[in-house]
Amino acid sequence: MTRFQNLLTEINAKLELPQPLKSRIIWEIADDIEETFKAYIKRGLSEEDAETKTKDKFTLSETAIIELTQIHLTPYRRWLDKFSRGAQSKWEKFLLIIIFTLILSSLAKVVYSTPFFVNASYFIYPILTALLFATILFIVKFYQLYIKKDHHIKKLRNGLDWILYSCGMILFLGVFGYFGELYVSSQSVNYLGPFFFLSFLSNSTSLHLSVEWLVRNSSMMMTCLGSLMITLLYWYMLINKAGKIEQAEASILLDI
Amino acid sequence: MKDSDLGIPSLTKNFNEALILSILFNEPKHGYQIALEIEDKSGSLFKFNHGTLYPILHKLEKEGLIKGSWEKESPKRKRKFYKITPEGKKYIRNQFMEWQNIFKYFFEIMGEVSK
């Protein structure tokens, strides 16, 4: 590939796209360059002529660069890559590990040391199921990217969006559970029509119920927020790894 | 599916798109094959620069008229090839009729020269 490295580096520098996207375009061009060069040689051109002709063919004009950029940079991708470009330095990774460990240890402490979760809302189960789903996906992807090192470009980002969807589901369940519990609790006390949330203040039984509601909901919300942070960290860690692998492969091609 | 629009301002763009879709009509091909085949079949009249080719290929892929897939040839080598989709086939069939119309009127007007 040394023959066309300068050309590829030039295209890489011109494309104003996130590196993972650029890498895919560079791979495609790199392969086509090599094959076009071989095709010209087969047609009887000298190596020099074939090289010049190939380079002429693959020089991307400013218009082509702008068009390629416009085609690929969707707002969603822009948002995703804004995150995946981060956490490249050792300090950022170190900080991530510390945050991750702190969250896990504090959550474990709460779960094991208090009867807090005995009276938790039933919404805790679907939230934990979503967390379990994200954890299974994380383990599978972790195995694929870190242990098996199956860096097939097509599979690299498979499943990562599902981890992000799990975050959305956890958040939805938390919010839904919060208001659901509030509504259900209000049904057990003096009902005050649409102002059911004021029902708790009407008498001492209601006050007792409101404390129960608080216990149920706060344990659920803690689980919800904890699960949300863990799932986001799963996604953040994996998307950075995928981005790094893509970048590394592009670097091999470009020799940068 | 993409609407067919063969207006004069977008004629060159549509012309290139039609060439690419026609080349892919019968079998999937790699980017370089598309460019070389167009060049060969046109007796080097249509010289396809890859600077023009990639934006068109990626645009057609985004519009669902073609589908790009990566194939692994060896552990260190991946190649992308493009295949026309059923929507793409339908689209290019419609375009074929429109191109015929365009050239029919074009030659009618140009025929004035030979009178």
Side-chain angles (χ1 to χ4, degrees), chain A residues 24-25 27-29 31-32 35-36 39 43 56-59 64 67-68 71-72 74 152-153 249, chain B residues 30-32 36 39-40 47-51 54-55 58-59 62 69-70 72 77-80 82:
Chain A
R24 270 175 240 148
I25 295 169
W27 284 328
E28 187 182 355
I29 297 174
D31 182 64
D32 282 349
E35 291 303 321
T36 307
R43 288 175 182 193
D56 284 347
K57 281 245 167 230
F58 282 86
T59 306
E67 279 181 24
L68 270 175
I71 290 164
H72 288 285
T74 60
H152 193 292
I153 178 70
E249 288 213 31
Chain B
H30 300 280
Y32 82 94
L36 288 179
E39 204 174 311
D40 286 348
K47 285 191 175 123
F48 238 104
N49 190 303
H50 282 71
Y54 291 116
H58 291 208
K59 185 178 154 274
K62 209 160 195 190
S69 315
W70 289 92
K72 204 172 183 178
R77 188 161 185 200
K78 299 155 193 120
R79 300 177 72 190
K80 193 175 185 183
Y82 293 94

Side-chain angles (χ1 to χ4, degrees), chain B residues 68-110:
Chain B
S69 315
W70 289 92
E71 60 179 24
K72 204 172 183 178
E73 291 217 329
S74 66
K76 283 190 174 177
R77 188 161 185 200
K78 299 155 193 120
R79 300 177 72 190
K80 193 175 185 183
F81 69 92
Y82 293 94
K83 189 181 175 183
I84 193 164
T85 60
E87 288 82 15
K89 283 193 173 182
K90 201 175 160 191
Y91 174 75
I92 193 62
R93 276 195 190 105
N94 289 337
Q95 280 233 323
F96 181 69
M97 311 293 281
E98 290 190 39
W99 279 107
Q100 275 186 327
N101 266 337
I102 282 179
F103 283 110
K104 192 185 120 198
Y105 291 118
F106 178 75
F107 286 118
E108 261 178 38
I109 296 165
M110 284 289 284

Side-chain angles (χ1 to χ4, degrees), chain A residues 81-100:
Chain A
D81 286 296
K82 199 177 165 188
F83 280 98
S84 67
R85 262 201 294 238
Q88 297 297 322
S89 75
K90 281 181 184 171
W91 278 109
E92 282 172 318
K93 283 178 193 167
F94 181 67
L95 200 67
L96 268 179
I97 292 166
I98 288 183
I99 293 170
F100 193 61

Side-chain angles (χ1 to χ4, degrees), chain A residues 133 137-138 141 155-164 235 238:
Chain A
F133 174 71
L137 275 178
F138 173 74
K141 287 302 286 184
K155 295 186 210 159
L156 218 51
R157 285 169 185 257
N158 282 4
L160 293 185
D161 283 346
W162 282 101
I163 295 181
L164 210 54
W235 174 80
L238 292 172

